[in-house]
Amino acid sequence: EAQLVQSGAEVKKAGESLRISCKSSAYSFNTDWIAWMRQTPGKGLEWMGIIYPGDSDTRYSPSFKGQVTFSVDKSTKTAYVQWTSLQASDTAIYYCARRIVGSSGWFTSWFDPWGQGTLVTVSP
Amino acid sequence: SFVLTQSPSVSVAPGQTAKITCGGRDIGRQSVHWYQQRPGQAPVVVVFDNTGRASGIPERFSGSSSENTATLTISSVEAGDEADYLCQVWDTNSDHVVFGGGTRLTVL
């Protein structure tokens, strides 16, 4: 059964850098896109973007472009999202999820499975 | 940008039918997916591509879609169905993923 396991909770200060991880197992890591989502009480669940591990092709949501960077390590089947300078507004739960392509192609995609989530808390 | 609108909450008694809606312009032309999120847990897909039921999901869960509204129907609601339900599309115009704000299902 495909599984994504994320790294543990982080507590940081504004201005610090951070990288969180998402390790895959039991499926072909190189050929399935991985998405990142952010969840907050105020804005709900937001799509941050997506990365293709095979060639690191990356698409960012306009809201997150320039704010985060996605990467992968194919040797360890792990995806990452990193920040160079955190802000208090980055406080959230972050999820990774595998993209599943529907019968009609790209625009019928959904996400399954999801990682368990990583809580990131940033103090001012 | 494409917006998906969900009612904040729905309440039903055990054994009754819950209908959770997701509104969006011409949503009937898009592929809609539904997730269940229990408190403190990650979302889990329950219905994909408007009507497909995900593996391990009871037949009580079904999806439908028409012009401007997609609906997740849960029949014979049980206490264990209490959760947030979120809809999702991959917007064909912007090539971005959009989530609804979520509906909290309360089982009375």
Side-chain angles (χ1 to χ4, degrees):
Chain A
E1 179 182 346
Q3 190 175 17
L4 295 170
V5 178
Q6 298 183 229
S7 49
E10 301 276 0
V11 178
K12 293 288 190 178
K13 295 181 179 179
E16 293 184 335
S17 63
L18 174 66
R19 189 177 75 165
I20 63 175
S21 68
C22 168
K23 184 173 177 57
S24 70
S25 62
Y27 76 92
S28 178
F29 178 74
N30 287 357
T31 56
D32 286 339
W33 294 76
I34 287 186
W36 287 95
M37 272 68 74
R38 180 176 80 177
Q39 189 168 39
T40 60
K43 293 187 176 182
L45 192 60
E46 301 173 275
W47 179 70
M48 299 170 65
I50 199 164
I51 185 167
Y52 187 71
D55 62 5
S56 293
D57 184 10
T58 305
R59 320 282 174 90
Y60 293 99
S61 163
S63 299
F64 292 90
K65 192 169 186 179
Q67 309 303 311
V68 296
T69 302
F70 301 151
S71 61
V72 297
D73 182 337
K74 290 192 284 187
S75 68
T76 60
K77 300 183 179 180
T78 302
Y80 300 93
V81 57
Q82 67 180 52
W83 295 258
T84 56
S85 181
L86 286 161
Q87 304 174 31
S89 57
D90 293 318
T91 295
I93 298 175
Y94 292 87
Y95 292 102
C96 61
R98 181 183 68 166
R99 169 177 166 255
I100 302 292
V101 182
S103 57
S104 299
W106 181 273
F107 295 112
T108 60
S109 299
W110 66 94
F111 303 107
D112 180 51
W114 294 56
Q116 82 277 19
T118 296
L119 174 62
V120 174
T121 304
V122 183
S123 59
Chain B
S1 60
F2 195 73
V3 176
L4 295 175
T5 302
Q6 296 186 245
S7 297
S9 64
V10 167
S11 300
V12 296
Q16 299 301 303
T17 296
K19 289 187 179 293
I20 298 170
T21 61
C22 177
R25 179 172 43 85
D26 292 331
I27 197 174
R29 298 186 179 187
Q30 308 227 37
S31 180
V32 182
H33 319 291
W34 290 93
Y35 301 87
Q36 177 191 68
Q37 186 176 27
R38 293 191 170 104
Q41 297 185 20
V44 173
V45 62
V46 292
V47 167
F48 60 89
D49 205 4
N50 298 318
T51 59
R53 192 165 44 250
S55 176
I57 300 302
E59 292 184 7
R60 302 183 295 103
F61 288 77
S62 63
S64 62
S65 184
S66 63
E67 190 174 352
N68 292 307
T69 303
T71 302
L72 174 68
T73 301
I74 309 171
S75 59
S76 302
V77 165
E78 303 175 356
D81 298 332
E82 200 163 85
D84 292 332
Y85 291 86
L86 303 102
C87 55
Q88 174 246 312
V89 303
W90 200 303
D91 180 36
T92 54
N93 291 321
S94 66
D95 195 16
H96 296 144
V97 174
V98 181
F99 289 96
T103 297
R104 172 138 317 165
L105 174 65
T106 300
V107 182
L108 300 170

